[in-house]
């Protein structure tokens, strides 16, 4: 009972010491149901293959399907260093105001 003066429970997992950064991060992940387990083999099989240099690149065919702004705008990531999903970007373009 939530309102009981003698609540009962059981220990599920020891996360670590209170105040320890890794413990606090683990608590936040659990509280917000964020799963950081590795992707399954099936999920990884859906990814494009890596090139000879071990890096993924956009194919010529894919570039033709897109509007290429690389030479006309300064485009840069605003994702923090070490992030896993580099998907936030901004661009800047000078204007000539009189």
């Amino acid at each position: 009972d939530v309102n009981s003066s003698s609540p009962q429970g059981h220990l599920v997992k020891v996360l670590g010491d209170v105040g320890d950064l890794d413990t606090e991060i683990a608590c936040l992940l659990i509280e917000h149901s964020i799963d950081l387990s590795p992707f399954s083999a099936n999920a990884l099989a859906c990814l494009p293959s890596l090139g000879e240099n071990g890096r993924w690149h956009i194919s010529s065919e894919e570039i033709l399907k897109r509007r290429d702004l690389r030479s006309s705008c300064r485009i840069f990531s605003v994702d923090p260093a070490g992030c896993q999903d580099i998907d936030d970007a901004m661009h800047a373009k000078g204007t000539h105001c009189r």
Side-chain angles (χ1 to χ4, degrees):
D1 181 20
V2 175
N3 298 319
S4 172
S5 60
S6 302
Q8 295 183 11
H10 65 279
L11 179 64
V12 175
K13 184 177 183 180
V14 174
L15 298 176
D17 296 327
V18 173
D20 177 71
L21 180 60
D22 290 335
T23 302
E24 299 298 327
I25 290 171
C27 288
L28 288 170
L29 295 172
I30 290 169
E31 285 176 16
H32 297 283
S33 302
I34 299 172
D35 184 6
L36 293 182
S37 43
F39 290 110
S40 68
N42 287 339
L44 293 174
C46 295
L47 296 174
S49 58
L50 300 177
E52 292 177 14
N53 61 0
R55 299 183 65 181
W56 178 80
H57 70 280
I58 300 173
S59 68
S60 302
E61 296 82 22
E62 187 64 30
I63 289 174
L64 292 173
K65 297 178 191 176
R66 300 175 182 216
R67 184 174 174 196
D68 190 351
L69 301 173
R70 292 176 292 179
S71 62
S72 62
C73 295
R74 289 193 178 265
I75 301 172
F76 52 93
S77 170
V78 292
D79 289 300
C83 74
Q84 298 296 311
D85 61 337
I86 302 174
D87 59 353
D88 298 316
M90 298 181 71
H91 78 277
K93 191 172 185 178
T95 59
H96 301 289
C97 297
R98 294 182 186 192

